[in-house]
Structures are given as structure tokens and as C-alpha cells.
Amino acid sequence: MYITELEAVAFRNLSGVSIRPCREVNLIYGDNAQGKTNLLEALWMFTGCRSFRAAKDAELLQFGKQKARLFLEYYGHDRLQTMQLDIEKGRTFTQNGVRLPSPSRAMGEFLAVVFSPVHLTLVKDGPAARRRFLDNAIGQLKPKYGAALSDYNKALLQRNLVLKDAAYHRELFDTLDVWEDRIAYYGSEILRQRIGYVQRLRNFSADIYAGISRKKETLRVSYAQAVPTEGADRKELYESLLANLKKARKDDLLTGTTSVGPHRDDLAVEIDFLSARTFASQGQQRSAALALKLGEAAVIRNFTNEQPVALLDDVMSELDTARQNYILNHIRDWQVFITCCDPSSVKSLRYGKAFAMKEGRILK
Ligand SMILES: Nc1ncnc2c1ncn2[C@@H]1O[C@H](COP(=O)(O)OP(=O)(O)OP(=O)(O)O)[C@@H](O)[C@H]1O
Ligand SMILES: [Mg+2]
């Protein structure tokens, strides 16, 4: 999948931008606060997802404007297509001239992955950030996953309520069996999907990391859970989760929380067999987060036969020249947009196209 044209009108500080990117690396460079991230955000909006940084659609409208318009021409699903996004009170998508009934219908049409500085939390923060990454990535590929996750969370909430109240209401105690069965039922589906996803992700991410580090370091990602169950089928996962819940019951009654299950699991990220969160340098952490996001794109390609467009915001800082060079010149057969402040990166770019951004405009 690749973009052939983008137009943005009254979107953030982009009053009227029109670009024709190349099929390889597109470098958007300029000083701080000129609109580089805004341009990536404009592209991202066509995925049908919410912005990776704005909470509300209204924030996307240029100050003082009532509406914004974005237009995209792209090649995807074996043909040249157009998508228009009008942002007024809400978001309205028009694909190939046909208005889509709701923004969620746009999902799965134009595919992209985004890496921005907030994604460093993937490596630097606690397990919740990595569980969210897994859940979002799987949710995009398997629409039913979101429902299992929400049913799981409901059952978990109920078990926790009972754990807290059981001391005062002994009759509630019997309902624990029911909630534990539900948790194990939905939880085993979540485990099955997450374990399967990580199996696909890990080779791609390892290859990408090897490239970035010129094979000097290895990246290893694995699904980390209290009781390892790799290779187990859904029934075995259900039985093992249920047995663990029963085993944990006595302790859980004291704390009033559920101590086992996918809500406590993690995606372990290791560089040269050491936890990246605890021991890796800034540049290594950035490289690892990038390898996870590009790995996510590779899994999507594997699954849909479409290569998502990569949007890399401010990926270069903290990386040495060799790593920067890899990102600029070795991600081939893949459309990439990279923002950076340093104009010297343009000289290092061998095949791509560079766009200078100033005050919300692309300089000619
Ligand atoms: N709704 C809006 N309307 C008009 N301008 C906006 C709006 N939202 C943000 N801006 C402005 O857009 C400017 C550029 O933002 P952007 O994040 O794209 O900069 P950048 O080029 O990525 O800078 P940096 O290199 O620091 O990341 C900001 O200075 C901000 O004031
Ligand atoms: Mg920026």
C-alpha cells in the first residue's frame, strides 16, 4: 500500500498542503513547531482510528476554523483509490466518491502504523503499555478479540467485587465459581490470541532489530505469564487458568484483587538477553520500540497481504549515524514517512524524497 497524494486544508497549522510522496522513504524536515507531526497525524487519520495524540476531533481544526478537509489518493487492495475526510462536528469519510455510514467503516481500508515518541513507553513503562499494544494490534486483525476482552474485564470486575464483599456476605462466596469460570473462558481466548500474535511478531521484530543494530545485538520478545503455557490449546489454557484462579483464591481474598490472568501478563522485551526496560540505553530502547512497531506492520502484511504505510515521528534523535542510515536507506519495498529536524539527514538519503516544512507549508 502506498500514498500517491495528500492534501490538507485547515487541519491544525496546515492551511493548504499538497504533496506527492515517493514509494520509498519520504523525509519531512524542518525546525520545531513547523507542522511535521501534524502532517503525519493527517495521514494517520485515514486509518479510521482516532488521532495518536489528540483527544477530541475539535482540536484538529485550525484555530478559528469550523471545518477541516483531508484528501488522500493511495494505491491499496489492488487499485488506485481516493479517500476524503471532512472534520466538522464529527468525522465524515468519503471513499472513491461514496460516503461511508460511519468512521469505523473506514478501518481496514487505508493501513498504517505510527511510531511517535509516546511509543517509547512500550519499552520504558510497566506492563500495561505493552498489554495495550498487544490488545490494539490483535484487535485490528481480529474484530472479535475486543468483545472477548471486554467480557473478560467484566467478569474480572465481578470477581474482584465478590472478593472484597465476601467477608461480610458469605452467600456471595458461591458465585466465585461462576466468575472464575467466565474469567477462564474469556481469558483462555485472550491468551490463545496473544500467544499466537507474539509468535508471529517476534521473528519480524528480531530481524528488524538486527538490521538497525547491524547484527551486533539481538532482540527477543516473548509472551510473559505467571504460568507458561506455550503450545497449549484453548481447552488446556482454560483448565490451567481455572486451576490457577482456584489456587490463588485464598490470597486474593486477602487483597481483594485477582492476582493471575492475562490482565497481569507482559510482553517481555530483551536485548542481548537483558530486560530492555531495566538495562537498555536510550538508543537501544528507541530501536527496540521501533522494531516492535515495524514488526506490527510486518504482521499486518503477513495477514492481509497489504504493506501498511509507516509513519515515523522523530525516530532519528538519540540514534547514531549508522542506525539513522539504516532507517533512511534500508527499509525498502515499503513506503515510509519520517520527520526530523536535522537537515543533514537529507544528504544521507539515497533513494527517497525530501520535503521542507515551514510554518505549516511545504517549501517548493
Ligand atoms: N488546531 C490547531 N490550529 C492551528 N495550529 C495548531 C493547532 N494545533 C497545533 N497547532 C500548531 O502546530 C504547530 C506545529 O506542530 P507540530 O507538532 O506539527 O510541530 P513539529 O514540526 O512536529 O515540531 P517538533 O519538531 O517540535 O516536533 C505547533 O506549534 C502548534 O502551535
Ligand atoms: Mg513533531
Side-chain angles (χ1 to χ4, degrees), residues 4 21 39 55 85 108 116 145 152 163 193 207 257 312 360:
T4 47
L39 188 91
L85 169 57
S116 85
Y145 182 78
Y152 175 85
L163 290 172
Q193 296 286 356
D207 284 350
T257 53
L312 310 182

Side-chain angles (χ1 to χ4, degrees), residues 31-38 40 53 117 313-314 339 341:
D31 291 341
N32 293 135
Q34 301 305 308
K36 303 181 299 292
T37 303
N38 293 345
L40 291 195
R53 57 180 192 161
D313 192 20
D314 211 1
T339 67
C341 294

Side-chain angles (χ1 to χ4, degrees), residues 26 85 109 128 156 172 181 219 247 306 312 315-316 358:
N26 295 278
L85 169 57
E109 296 295 337
L156 186 66
L172 282 177
D181 176 73
L219 176 79
K247 220 185 320 169
E306 290 284 345
L312 310 182
V315 70
M316 303 290 214
K358 193 163 188 304

Side-chain angles (χ1 to χ4, degrees), residues 285-298:
Q285 288 184 337
R286 189 174 279 262
S287 307
L290 181 64
L292 286 175
K293 292 302 289 187
L294 294 179
E296 179 191 355

